[in-house]
Amino acid sequence: MNDHDQIGPMMAQLGANASAAAAKLATAGSERKHAALIGAADAIWENRWDIIDANAEDQVYAEEKNLSPAMMDRLILDENRVRAMAEGLRNVAAQHDPVGEVIAEWDMPSGLNIKRVRTPLGVIGVIYESRPNVTADAGALCLQSGNAVILRGGSESFHSATAIHKCLQTGLKQAGLPLEAIQLVPTRDRAAVSAMLTATDHIDVIVPRGGKGLVGLVQREARVPVFAHLEGICHIYVGATADPAMALDIVLNAKTRRTGICGAMECLLIDGRFYTQHGPMLIEALLKVGVEVRADGELARIPGTTPAQADDFGREFLDMICAAKLVDGVDAAIAHIRTYGSNHTDAIITADDQAAAHFFAELDSAILMRNASTQFADGGEFGMGAEIGIATGKLHARGPVGAEQLTSFKYLVTGNGTVRP
């Protein structure tokens, strides 16, 4: 669809359809949702070559748009990634159904029994770039949490998302659930994004998943509440007592496993005492595997490094590049992260329990780690089956947003002819 004038009516219809589907999903029950997710997973695997062929079309389009290497890596699907997508659906299906869960229950002297019970949010709008697997992850998590979803993928992943969405609808149909429970915006026209951001009559929350530009646009223009997913400016602080072999493994994994994900390390902070004892081993190891190290101060004297510029700190490279700096103790590391971090994921490598506790207490990132790679900042690795994004805001949803965080709650109050004097 390219007719700009038709976008408004089309999006209004998608919203009305989603609202009607959400009412049915709220009481659909665990078994039918489970069946839909398993059916969708099977359909994805059975149609994997169709999905991969569609992805090849998207890659041609992305190359014509001169997409960055990091964005291309996010876009590309192969058999292993399609298998992981299908397994992600099965993992979500295996998760506890949060809808109807009693969060708390108490009795009042008045005779009232009060329960706080989880309930779906309603209709969720997901706007994302590049990653076609978000189509499956977001669709699955919204379904598991009893929410209808409107998906608006990036223009570069249009064909892949369409092929994956078809498989999701196969699962819904097999389970007897409304196809409108998971809808994909059938156009690349950016006007559809603007329509979603102002659709207060039908959409209850918007989840943006992409780069700083997309998230900034959503936060500026949205009238619908937003679960913000900001940049992944992830730091690793190597403390004075860190085990050098452990630090080496974690730093290399955090930077190089996949450079284009939001959990990749972007800044390495090395305690001065660790550096005095163990030397430039971490920097040299990064250089050896091809990382461009933009080093500050004394670290810039290490052969092969590039002198850091002021804007290299607080920057999400999404590439084989990282900033590096020496710091004088854990408080200096904390101060640096407070200044340059994005409240996404930050880690400390240390054998000192007190230093780790101080790091955890003083920082307010959505995810804080000790002696682990920041690449674990992922809903699947947190046991959630999948994630709809890493929320860095402070209201309601934080960190990997799984099915449970896509619910709110209501109060169920029972009396026995109880009246208030």
Side-chain angles (χ1 to χ4, degrees):
M1 176 180 293
N2 295 312
D3 190 346
H4 195 80
D5 293 337
Q6 296 301 311
I7 297 298
M10 179 195 73
M11 295 305 296
Q13 188 62 57
L14 288 180
N17 293 344
S19 294
K24 295 178 181 179
L25 284 181
T27 58
S30 301
E31 290 184 3
R32 292 172 72 192
K33 291 188 289 186
H34 182 275
L37 292 170
I38 296 301
D42 291 343
I44 283 176
W45 186 243
E46 289 167 5
N47 293 279
R48 59 191 179 278
W49 297 116
D50 291 338
I51 294 171
I52 291 170
D53 287 345
N55 185 251
E57 288 187 68
D58 287 333
Q59 290 180 50
V60 172
Y61 179 83
E63 287 170 358
E64 292 173 352
K65 289 182 63 180
N66 295 316
L67 217 64
S68 69
M71 294 293 278
M72 283 296 293
D73 177 65
R74 293 182 178 193
L75 172 65
I76 292 171
L77 291 177
D78 56 21
E79 191 172 11
N80 286 333
R81 288 188 178 182
V82 175
R83 179 185 290 108
M85 198 188 313
E87 285 303 311
L89 291 181
R90 294 189 178 96
N91 290 338
V92 172
Q95 297 297 304
H96 168 69
D97 183 352
V99 179
E101 177 187 358
V102 178
I103 304 170
E105 181 178 5
W106 63 96
D107 294 313
M108 294 298 294
S110 61
L112 295 178
N113 172 262
I114 302 174
K115 295 179 182 178
R116 186 186 299 133
V117 178
R118 290 198 185 280
T119 186
L121 294 175
V123 177
I124 298 174
V126 183
I127 302 170
Y128 53 102
E129 295 174 326
S130 269
R131 292 182 180 174
N133 64 292
V134 175
T135 308
D137 290 350
L141 289 168
C142 290
L143 178 62
Q144 176 74 340
S145 54
N147 296 290
V149 63
I150 299 173
L151 302 166
R152 203 287 183 175
S155 59
E156 64 279 359
S157 61
F158 184 79
H159 295 292
S160 307
T162 300
I164 295 165
H165 176 249
K166 183 178 178 181
C167 297
L168 297 176
Q169 294 221 305
T170 296
L172 291 170
K173 185 176 181 179
Q174 290 174 354
L177 292 173
L179 299 183
E180 295 80 10
I182 304 175
Q183 297 181 96
L184 181 70
V185 176
T187 178
R188 287 186 167 115
D189 196 313
R190 289 176 178 261
V193 173
S194 296
M196 289 177 69
L197 298 181
T198 56
T200 54
D201 289 343
H202 296 299
I203 297 179
D204 294 284
V205 67
I206 291 285
V207 181
R209 187 161 180 186
K212 186 176 183 178
L214 171 65
V215 177
L217 169 72
V218 170
Q219 290 182 314
R220 287 193 307 272
E221 298 189 6
R223 295 183 188 173
V224 179
V226 176
F227 286 168
H229 173 122
L230 296 180
E231 295 174 288
I233 304 172
C234 303
H235 295 77
I236 289 184
Y237 163 58
V238 180
T241 62
D243 176 86
M246 177 190 292
L248 183 64
D249 288 344
I250 291 174
V251 167
L252 288 177
N253 181 268
K255 180 67 257 182
T256 68
R257 174 187 166 270
R258 286 190 68 185
T259 58
I261 66 172
C262 60
M265 180 191 74
E266 303 293 14
C267 182
L268 175 62
L269 303 174
I270 303 174
D271 191 284
R273 286 172 293 172
F274 179 94
Y275 188 76
T276 298
Q277 185 173 357
H278 301 290
M281 55 169 288
L282 297 177
I283 304 298
E284 290 174 346
L286 288 168
L287 292 169
K288 186 175 181 180
V289 297
V291 176
E292 178 185 334
V293 179
R294 299 184 181 179
D296 180 70
E298 186 175 341
L299 296 182
R301 300 178 184 176
I302 300 172
T305 60
T306 301
Q309 303 301 311
D311 63 355
D312 287 325
F313 296 102
R315 182 171 175 182
E316 186 179 35
F317 296 104
L318 298 175
D319 204 346
M320 287 285 278
I321 305 170
C322 78
K325 181 179 181 178
L326 288 178
V327 292
D328 184 16
V330 64
D331 283 313
I334 290 168
H336 181 97
I337 294 170
R338 284 178 175 171
T339 301
Y340 296 102
S342 61
N343 291 329
H344 190 291
T345 302
D346 298 293
I348 180 173
I349 306 174
T350 184
D352 184 338
D353 292 344
Q354 186 174 354
H358 186 61
F359 187 87
F360 280 11
E362 292 293 326
L363 289 172
D364 195 32
S365 305
I367 303 171
L368 292 166
M369 296 182 170
R370 177 187 181 184
N371 297 340
S373 169
T374 54
Q375 297 257 341
F376 282 106
D378 176 88
E381 296 296 332
F382 276 43
M384 298 176 180
E387 69 178 40
I388 204 169
I390 305 286
T392 54
K394 296 185 180 181
L395 296 179
H396 185 66
R398 293 203 84 193
V401 179
E404 183 177 294
Q405 289 185 302
L406 295 177
T407 62
S408 182
F409 56 82
K410 59 185 176 184
Y411 291 95
L412 305 183
V413 182
T414 303
N416 185 22
T418 311
V419 296
R420 184 170 179 176

